């Protein structure tokens, strides 16, 4: 058009409607290209023929439609009230809802000022809902495409290193035989038929039970031998302590993967938000620099300043779009940039701001607001200092008892026993069923209390060993249980394998409580069968 029917400048120029049409054509072109790529992916077999939207995707679509209806409808209402052009009122509504407020357009009568009250509040609420849905949708995509691939990569690397080191260890000890047999991998429990449940270690299967699956192209899964299927158990029985130490090493490795994954998840989201913010800031400044060069003659630095003030919704008003190309560009740019800035602040709250809060709390604990038990936690991190102070305290207490005439001797045992060590677990004798049933009831109460806490509880390896023994004892007789523990160890899965409880969607407390309740149900059913069998013999 500029070539064949150019405007007669300076009397004529392209209107805002023309630039809105150009921007709409560009957006339609981008959308059609995305659809063509999606269709190509379907023909190549990367996408399914049919798919269903998740709840978050539905909310995002509905809230986006509602936002644009509110934006466009409000502009029409303000046109009737103020008598200005629709494109100017569309720009005014955008600046109002985003709380930028340059001041170049404002209500000119009391009717317009009265409409600002409900219109601004409703627009801000809809915008907040839309930004929240965008953030959840972005987290869902990053969890599937980035976080899961990171976990799988770390897990496969750890399995490769552990299998190699374990074989070297076996060779050094001379315990590798030419004829090895695979370890029997029984299931830890089977669901009882009270009600169906969907407990799985596969995230794809878990989503099938809870919500429609998000169809996003995934990389081909890496085939690895999980756990001790790669490292064959030798035919002879090895010491239980050696098995426990090997299991704990793998448990510790998986805990490290969990910690690194949590950190990677937070900071990868922050990095993506920072990159998006930088691109919108710098590229947007280029757009305003070119659009406002003739009307205002601004420099690129001034355009950067204007974009930064707009992104933070400060809106001083010293610079604002005045050209017919600048206003439509600002509407589209701001609707993308301001929500991106909001998401960036939210991601900073999970990383930078959270670290600052923890630092502030630690500073307060050691200075103006000391917390009870702080010095005890510090001493526990330095056992030598704790032992020295405890020795001094015991000597002082012994002197007081002698002075007061009391008997000198060891202190009474603490009511709360210390947690078991690997050596104690290896030497612990097998308990009878009534004792295990009592411990099972206490374990159920303990895990139920752990579910009430806000933070997810993570148990130590020694605690997992005790829980596993309580889960398994109701499934087999005592001689068989003792034989199984001596031959294959106390844990029936590989911590860094595909069936590890640490890869489950649910928390560790939920996972354990579910299986502890199963064990209790099996134990009660077994007791009922024995009772009925005993009455049958009497009759």
């Amino acid at each position: 058009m500029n070539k064949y029917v150019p405007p007669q400048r300076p009397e004529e120029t392209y209107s805002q409607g023309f630039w809105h049409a150009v921007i709409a054509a560009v957006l339609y072109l981008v959308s059609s290209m995305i659809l063509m790529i999606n269709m190509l992916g379907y023909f190549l077999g990367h996408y399914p023929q049919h798919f269903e939207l998740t709840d978050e995707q539905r909310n995002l679509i509905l809230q986006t439609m509602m936002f644009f209806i509110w934006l466009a409808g409000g502009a029409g209402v303000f046109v009737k009230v103020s008598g200005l052009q629709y494109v100017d009122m569309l720009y005014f509504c955008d600046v109002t809802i985003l709380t930028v407020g340059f001041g170049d357009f404002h209500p000119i009568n009391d009717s317009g000022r009265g409409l600002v009250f409900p219109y601004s509040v409703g627009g801000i609420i809809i915008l907040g809902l839309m930004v929240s849905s965008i953030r959840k949708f972005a987290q869902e995509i990053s969890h599937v495409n980035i976080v899961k691939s990171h976990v799988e990569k770390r897990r496969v690397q750890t399995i490769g290193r552990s299998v190699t080191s374990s074989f070297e260890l076996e060779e050094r000890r001379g315990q590798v035989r030419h004829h090895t047999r695979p370890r029997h991998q029984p299931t830890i429990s089977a669901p009882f038929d009270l009600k169906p449940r969907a407990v799985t270690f596969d995230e794809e299967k878990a989503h099938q039970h809870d919500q429609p699956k998000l169809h996003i192209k995934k990389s081909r899964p890496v085939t690895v031998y999980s756990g001790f299927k790669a490292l064959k158990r030798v035919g002879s029985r090895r010491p239980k302590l050696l098995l426990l130490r090997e299991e704990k090493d793998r448990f510790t490795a998986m805990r490290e993967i969990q910690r690194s994954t949590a950190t990677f998840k937070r900071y990868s989201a922050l990095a993506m938000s920072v990159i998006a913010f930088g691109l919108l800031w710098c590229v947007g400044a280029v757009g305003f620099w070119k659009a406002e060069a003739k009307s205002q003659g601004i420099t690129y630095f001034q355009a950067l300043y204007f974009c930064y003030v707009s992104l933070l919704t400060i809106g001083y008003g010293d610079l604002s779009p005045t050209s017919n190309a600048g206003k439509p560009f600002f509407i589209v740019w701001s609707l993308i940039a301001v929500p991106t800035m909001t998401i960036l602040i939210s991601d900073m709250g999970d990383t930078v701001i959270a670290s600052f809060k923890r630092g502030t709390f630690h500073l307060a604990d050691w200075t103006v607001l000391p917390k009870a038990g702080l010095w005890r936690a510090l001493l526990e991190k330095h056992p030598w200092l704790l032992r020295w102070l405890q020795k001094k305290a015991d000597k002082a207490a012994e002197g007081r008892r002698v002075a007061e005439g009391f008997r000198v001797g060891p202190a009474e045992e603490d009511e709360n026993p210390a947690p078991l060590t690997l050596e104690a677990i290896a030497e612990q004798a097998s308990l009878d069923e009534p004792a295990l049933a009592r411990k099972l009831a206490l374990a159920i109460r303990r895990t139920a209390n752990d579910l009430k806490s806000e933070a997810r509880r993570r148990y130590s390896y020694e605690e997992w060993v005790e829980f596993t023994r309580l889960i398994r004892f109701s499934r087999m007789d005592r001689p068989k249980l003792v034989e199984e523990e001596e031959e294959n160890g106390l844990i029936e899965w590989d911590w860094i394998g595909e069936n590890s409880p640490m890869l489950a969607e649910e928390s560790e407390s939920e996972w354990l409580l579910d299986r502890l309740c199963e064990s209790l149900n099996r134990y009660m059913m077994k007791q009922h069968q024995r009772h009925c069998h005993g009455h049958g013999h009497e009759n």
Side-chain angles (χ1 to χ4, degrees), residues 361-377:
F361 289 152
H362 286 311
L363 180 62
D365 291 340
W366 292 98
T367 53
V368 294
L369 297 173
K371 185 172 61 176
L374 181 65
W375 293 103
R376 177 71 182 184

Side-chain angles (χ1 to χ4, degrees), residues 112-132:
R113 296 185 182 98
L115 285 175
V116 168
F117 297 153
Y119 181 76
S120 59
V121 172
I124 292 172
I125 293 174
I126 298 173
L127 177 64
L129 293 174
M130 186 178 68
V131 171
S132 176

Side-chain angles (χ1 to χ4, degrees), residues 39 67 98 114-115 149 157 187 256 289 348 376 394 403 422 432 437 442 447 455 466 473 512 529:
M39 183 62 67
F67 176 80
L98 297 179
L115 285 175
S149 61
Q157 291 176 351
T187 55
E256 182 61 29
W289 177 36
M348 290 180 64
R376 177 71 182 184
D394 291 341
L422 291 181
D432 55 359
L442 296 175
T447 53
E466 289 297 313
F473 89 95
L512 284 170
Q529 292 174 358

Side-chain angles (χ1 to χ4, degrees), residues 81-317:
V81 173
S82 62
L84 298 178
Q85 295 182 356
Y86 181 80
V87 288
D88 290 333
M89 289 298 96
L90 187 65
Y91 166 78
F92 163 75
C93 291
D94 177 72
V95 172
T96 301
I97 292 177
L98 297 179
T99 67
V100 179
F102 291 123
D104 48 353
F105 284 90
H106 54 82
I108 59 176
N109 50 37
D110 291 339
S111 299
R113 296 185 182 98
L115 285 175
V116 168
F117 297 153
Y119 181 76
S120 59
V121 172
I124 292 172
I125 293 174
I126 298 173
L127 177 64
L129 293 174
M130 186 178 68
V131 171
S132 176
S133 298
I134 291 174
R135 184 172 186 269
K136 291 179 180 179
F137 178 66
Q139 288 178 340
E140 188 177 13
I141 294 177
S142 64
H143 178 73
V144 174
N145 285 347
I146 300 176
V147 178
K148 286 185 64 177
S149 61
H150 175 76
V151 173
E152 183 66 16
K153 181 179 178 181
R154 289 290 307 275
R155 190 179 66 85
V156 172
Q157 291 176 351
T158 305
I159 287 179
R161 291 196 302 268
S162 63
V163 169
T164 302
S165 60
S166 298
F167 270 118
E168 292 175 354
L169 178 63
E170 297 293 339
E171 290 175 358
R172 286 198 302 268
R173 292 176 177 173
Q175 295 182 355
V176 173
R177 307 294 198 273
H178 291 289
H179 302 286
T180 58
R181 59 185 179 89
R183 176 189 178 186
H184 176 60
Q185 290 279 1
T187 55
I188 188 170
S189 60
F192 52 90
D193 297 330
L194 291 180
K195 70 173 185 177
R197 61 193 177 98
V199 178
T200 177
F201 298 110
D202 190 350
E203 292 190 1
E204 295 182 357
K205 295 180 181 178
H207 284 298
Q208 290 177 0
H209 291 288
D210 299 333
Q211 60 184 5
K213 182 180 177 183
L214 175 65
H215 292 287
I216 300 176
K217 182 179 181 298
K218 301 180 178 64
S219 58
R220 179 176 297 179
V222 181
T223 303
V224 295
Y225 292 101
S226 63
F228 294 113
K229 291 183 180 179
L231 176 61
K232 306 279 188 177
R233 289 287 191 189
V234 297
S236 61
R237 295 179 181 176
R238 292 186 291 171
K240 186 183 293 185
L241 181 60
L242 180 61
L243 298 178
L244 289 173
R245 286 176 177 172
E246 289 182 358
E247 294 280 0
K248 187 172 182 179
D249 290 341
R250 303 174 78 83
F251 177 85
T252 305
M254 192 61 197
R255 274 281 185 252
E256 182 61 29
I257 292 176
Q258 282 185 323
R259 286 191 288 268
S260 65
T261 300
T263 304
F264 175 80
K265 182 179 180 180
R266 292 193 300 268
Y267 283 94
S268 62
L270 177 62
M272 295 296 292
S273 299
V274 170
I275 293 173
F277 172 81
L279 289 176
L280 288 171
W281 183 21
C282 298
V283 175
V286 173
F288 287 110
W289 177 36
K290 297 297 183 182
E292 301 294 327
K294 294 182 179 179
S295 61
Q296 300 188 62
I298 63 174
T299 62
Y300 180 70
F301 176 78
Q302 291 175 332
L304 280 174
Y305 163 78
F306 165 74
C307 290
Y308 187 80
V309 171
S310 301
L311 279 169
L312 297 180
T313 67
I314 298 175
Y316 290 122

Side-chain angles (χ1 to χ4, degrees), residues 525-536:
M525 292 176 63
K526 186 186 296 185
Q527 295 299 317
H528 178 70
Q529 292 174 358
R530 291 176 180 174
H531 180 73
C532 294
H533 185 69
H535 278 286

Side-chain angles (χ1 to χ4, degrees), residues 28-46:
Y28 275 119
L29 177 62
V30 173
S31 300
S32 62
M33 292 176 63
I34 294 175
L35 291 176
M36 290 176 63
I37 294 174
N38 185 75
M39 183 62 67
L40 179 62
Y42 163 70
F43 286 136
L44 296 177
H46 297 291

